[in-house]
Amino acid sequence: MFCPSCGVHNDQNARFCTNCGLTLQTQAGGRPADGTMVDGNADGTMVDGAPASVLTPQPGPVVPPVVSPTVSPAVPPTVPNGPLPPPAKQGKSGGVGMIIVAAIVVIAILIGGTVWYLNTSNSNGVQPATQSQETTKPKKKAKKADGKSSDKSGESDKSDKTGGSGKSSKAGEPDASDKPGKSGKTDASKERDRRSNRILDKSSTDSIVDGYSTIDVGVSVMNEDGLRSYSSRNASLSFVAAGLYLPAWLDYRDTYGDRPDAYADSLTGMNNGSANGLIDAVGGESDLNEWLSDNKYYRTRFERDYGDVKASQNGYENYASPDDAARMLNEMAENGDDGLMNYDIASEGVVIPSGATVHAHRGQGIKDSYNYFMVISNGKKKVSVAVMTQNQGRAVAAQLASRMLDKVWNTMLRN
């Protein structure tokens, strides 16, 4: 039967509605014909439209109905298409993990940014502050009065120039191409003609020098404009620098842009005391050697004072190559300071060509070294000549110096 209250279907013999607990029969097997409720008012009035008189009283106690709680039907949740993602785990371990991941990301960003900055800085020539940098000694060197830098090169400077061509070349070798010109001569031929009186013939000059020694003699010749005219087989090697008073003078000139006239006697009289004072004026032997290196006089080095025989005997010596010495003489000639070199080399047997002017120094020292440093001039042009010997003695050195002056005069200056 159906419950008149909630409409739920119940068993035919059920006394109470299994859903709402409503009394369905007044006694076993009995039921109001119209399905109205049996519970009425005490005065017999109608209940829910059914008269009380039509109800048949039921003797005995009324068994109370068993009321089942009303259960609302479960409403299925709305499920989106596809499976739902699993819920995120919560708790201490999750929070710590997130913090660690965030820290790693921040560190990676910092490292990447630092590497980018360092690479950018280095590409712009800037060194990072954390990189160790070599500490360099401050240079005291000033520029010359004419504005030229004091850092000269012994290889790329004017000492290797071709006398106006702007290209470097070896002595005696033309640097012009063989392209024919309008005159019918090649550029190389014209260059050889132009330089014919500025370059000594290598073969004939070698025969003079090597005729004395192929080991203990070195000769170098240089034009006033820096063109190397001749270098013997040993001209780039170091010899004892006896009589070479030029390095400290040139250092002072280059450093302070002025002549050290207070020490002029180091040149005019080859005075050892004055020369040693000039070395002190440029900072001592250490600073002098630094200047020599900076200016690429690589075969020249000073280890003792002038005239210090004891230091020389103990192994401390001053050295220079003929090529370096000729370049120093060339510097003196440029400045006009060669006129201070007034030693009378003719008194020692050196023959001065007729018509020539020679300003010179000479020196003798350990290993029977004997040297002549000379600037020869015809009044218009100057040529520097360095003759350095060891184990030859003064007579041989003087004879070699005489023959070199004659060669230079007759080839380069007489015409």
Side-chain angles (χ1 to χ4, degrees):
M1 69 179 64
F2 293 92
C3 177
S5 176
C6 65
V8 173
H9 183 269
N10 294 274
D11 187 76
Q12 185 67 30
N13 296 322
R15 295 178 60 191
F16 306 97
C17 177
T18 60
N19 181 48
C20 64
L22 180 69
T23 300
L24 301 178
Q25 297 179 356
T26 58
Q27 60 183 0
R31 176 183 177 85
D34 57 1
T36 58
M37 295 181 63
V38 298
D39 292 335
N41 297 323
D43 58 2
T45 57
M46 293 181 65
V47 179
D48 288 337
S53 60
V54 301
L55 299 178
T56 303
Q58 177 67 34
V62 177
V63 180
V66 178
V67 180
S68 301
T70 302
V71 180
S72 300
V75 180
T78 302
V79 181
N81 294 333
L84 292 174
K89 293 184 179 180
Q90 302 295 330
K92 289 185 177 181
S93 61
V96 173
M98 292 298 293
I99 292 173
I100 293 175
V101 171
I104 292 174
V105 171
V106 171
I107 292 173
I109 292 174
L110 291 176
I111 293 175
T114 302
V115 171
W116 175 85
Y117 170 75
L118 295 181
N119 288 339
T120 303
S121 299
N122 286 335
S123 66
N124 293 329
V126 179
Q127 293 182 337
T130 56
Q131 181 177 350
S132 61
Q133 300 182 15
E134 182 180 356
T135 303
T136 57
K137 182 179 179 180
K139 298 288 184 182
K140 65 167 185 172
K141 307 304 175 189
K143 289 185 177 180
K144 281 187 174 183
D146 61 3
K148 296 180 181 178
S149 172
S150 63
D151 185 11
K152 296 181 279 294
S153 169
E155 298 174 1
S156 60
D157 69 357
K158 64 178 183 175
S159 64
D160 288 327
K161 293 191 298 182
T162 61
S165 67
K167 300 179 181 179
S168 62
S169 67
K170 295 182 180 179
E173 297 180 4
D175 59 353
S177 66
D178 289 329
K179 183 178 179 181
K182 292 182 180 180
S183 65
K185 289 186 176 183
T186 65
D187 290 342
S189 297
K190 290 189 295 184
E191 180 68 4
R192 281 193 292 269
D193 291 343
R194 185 181 70 83
R195 293 170 49 182
S196 61
N197 64 342
R198 305 182 68 226
I199 301 296
L200 297 179
D201 178 72
K202 176 70 172 172
S203 178
S204 62
T205 310
D206 277 346
S207 66
I208 295 173
V209 177
D210 292 345
Y212 292 94
S213 175
T214 58
I215 299 174
D216 295 327
V217 172
V219 175
S220 183
V221 179
M222 180 177 286
N223 282 270
E224 186 179 4
D225 62 359
L227 175 66
R228 183 81 66 181
S229 299
Y230 173 75
S231 290
S232 71
R233 68 174 70 234
N234 299 317
S236 63
L237 303 182
S238 295
F239 288 73
V240 174
L244 187 64
Y245 290 90
L246 308 183
W249 183 275
L250 293 173
D251 183 352
Y252 190 100
R253 269 281 209 178
D254 195 36
T255 300
Y256 302 109
D258 197 8
R259 277 183 23 162
D261 287 334
Y263 305 95
D265 194 36
S266 65
L267 298 185
T268 58
M270 295 192 299
N271 184 293
N272 288 339
S274 180
N276 291 332
L278 186 52
I279 290 177
D280 292 339
V282 296
E285 292 164 2
S286 177
D287 279 17
L288 174 59
N289 288 327
E290 182 180 358
W291 179 86
L292 289 165
S293 179
D294 288 345
N295 289 273
K296 300 189 177 180
Y297 290 107
Y298 292 134
R299 294 295 185 176
T300 303
R301 180 174 180 81
F302 275 60
E303 299 177 350
R304 63 171 178 83
D305 287 345
Y306 291 99
D308 191 345
V309 177
K310 184 175 181 180
S312 180
Q313 292 173 344
N314 289 331
Y316 298 96
E317 194 52 77
N318 300 333
Y319 295 97
S321 69
D323 279 345
D324 281 357
R327 189 155 68 92
M328 291 181 196
L329 288 166
N330 186 67
E331 294 287 328
M332 296 292 291
E334 272 193 319
N335 296 328
D337 293 348
D338 60 306
L340 299 174
M341 302 167 56
N342 293 320
Y343 185 78
D344 184 10
I345 57 174
S347 65
E348 296 192 354
V350 178
V351 178
I352 307 297
S354 178
T357 299
V358 176
H359 294 285
H361 279 167
R362 73 97 174 95
Q364 58 182 334
I366 195 173
K367 296 184 180 179
D368 197 17
S369 58
Y370 216 97
N371 307 322
Y372 287 101
F373 306 107
M374 305 168 288
V375 177
I376 182 172
S377 172
N378 63 1
K380 297 178 181 179
K381 295 188 295 183
K382 297 179 180 180
V383 177
S384 301
V385 182
V387 175
M388 303 184 73
T389 71
Q390 60 186 15
N391 303 318
Q392 300 297 304
R394 186 176 76 174
V396 171
Q399 189 179 62
L400 176 57
S402 299
R403 295 188 66 180
M404 288 304 305
L405 289 176
D406 181 73
K407 182 78 171 178
V408 169
W409 176 258
N410 287 295
T411 303
M412 303 171 65
L413 298 174
R414 186 174 182 179
N415 296 327

